[in-house]
Amino acid sequence: MASTSHIFLVGASRGVGREIANYLRQQNIAVTALLRNETSRAELEAIGVEVVLGDALNFDDLERAMITDKPVNAVISTLGGLPSDTEKPDYIGNKNLIDIAVKANVQKFILVTSIGTGNSVGALPPQALNALQPVLIEKDKAEQHLITSGLTYTIVRPGGLKSEPPTGNAVLTEDTRIVGSIHRADVAELVCLCLTSESANNKVLSAIDKNMLLTQTEFTEFSLG
């Protein structure tokens, strides 16, 4: 990831997206973040993130934000709905982003979803699956749209997220049976490392902390080298 890279980030107002913004700026990577409102603007601008206002559910907003005279090298989306959202952006927002990324000739698209999406559905305990199923269906549609888009992609599915300092014990795996917890800052680092990893191209990867597995299942770690 060269310092000349320009990353378009969606979801930077909170959670994993905010941690990704922090990580990229520490590497002096140029970041443009799409925000729906002004709430997080000052905090993001303070670390050197360029902020554009717009709604991922609005195609024109996104197009105006992403297609400018400053080409975007990669898109990272942690876009996900809040329980209070009447219209969940997990599919429609990401679909808009993917379609505009194709139009903008973006080199790579990294989509952050969650364990339980798509073929990892069997990893979740039944109670968690029942609670999350409506949003997991939307996330699966977004994943499928990205896979068939023609873009070079990486899909990262984190386990249960915790807002604590990074442990450095987070790993990626192609094993869809694995479930556990992971700190948001560790997810952010793995996502950013995927930007420059050719081995991560066109892969769907689960992200967990190897010391916080729900079940002690043997699995193979995925190497980004």
Side-chain angles (χ1 to χ4, degrees):
M1 203 166 21
S3 57
T4 52
S5 297
H6 176 213
I7 311 300
F8 191 85
L9 175 61
V10 182
S13 63
R14 59 190 171 89
V16 172
R18 174 63 66 87
E19 296 289 352
I20 289 170
N22 290 338
Y23 188 92
L24 290 172
R25 289 304 302 141
Q26 284 163 12
Q27 315 297 315
N28 290 317
I29 306 296
V31 180
T32 298
L34 181 82
L35 295 181
R36 269 195 302 184
N37 54 53
E38 299 276 0
T39 313
S40 310
R41 180 195 278 269
E43 292 168 35
L44 287 165
E45 287 182 341
I47 60 168
V49 173
E50 183 182 338
V51 170
V52 288
L53 290 179
D55 190 337
L57 295 173
N58 184 312
F59 192 88
D60 292 340
D61 277 6
L62 272 184
E63 193 168 39
R64 190 167 53 250
M66 203 189 302
I67 301 180
T68 67
D69 56 3
K70 188 181 176 189
V72 170
N73 302 101
V75 174
I76 301 175
S77 174
T78 66
L79 192 60
L82 294 166
S84 56
D85 291 337
T86 49
E87 191 175 7
K88 299 272 189 288
D90 300 79
Y91 171 56
I92 297 299
N94 280 314
K95 180 183 185 298
N96 288 342
L97 262 179
I98 293 159
D99 291 346
I100 294 164
V102 170
K103 198 172 174 180
N105 295 314
V106 166
Q107 294 164 23
K108 194 163 191 176
F109 195 113
I110 299 182
L111 177 63
V112 179
T113 59
S114 67
I115 287 177
T117 307
N119 63 357
S120 66
V121 65
L124 290 187
Q127 194 175 357
L129 181 60
N130 288 341
L132 295 171
Q133 198 154 30
V135 78
L136 292 175
I137 290 168
E138 297 301 300
K139 288 183 186 298
D140 181 47
K141 284 156 60 176
E143 287 188 359
Q144 293 307 314
H145 191 70
L146 178 56
I147 289 165
T148 57
S149 69
L151 290 166
T152 299
Y153 67 86
T154 305
I155 293 168
V156 178
R157 297 168 172 168
L161 295 165
K162 294 176 179 287
S163 291
E164 292 171 43
T167 68
N169 296 316
V171 294
L172 296 166
T173 181
E174 291 185 88
D175 195 321
T176 57
R177 302 168 302 158
I178 297 304
V179 68
S181 298
I182 185 168
H183 294 185
R184 287 178 169 87
D186 287 310
V187 178
E189 181 173 5
L190 290 174
V191 166
C192 294
L193 292 174
C194 286
L195 279 169
T196 49
S197 168
E198 290 197 11
S199 62
N201 287 353
N202 304 323
K203 294 288 187 183
V204 182
L205 303 165
S206 294
I208 42 89
D209 190 302
K210 57 190 175 185
N211 294 338
M212 292 191 280
L213 294 173
L214 198 60
T215 56
Q216 294 307 310
T217 310
E218 290 290 316
F219 69 96
T220 303
E221 290 181 26
F222 183 84
S223 172
L224 293 171

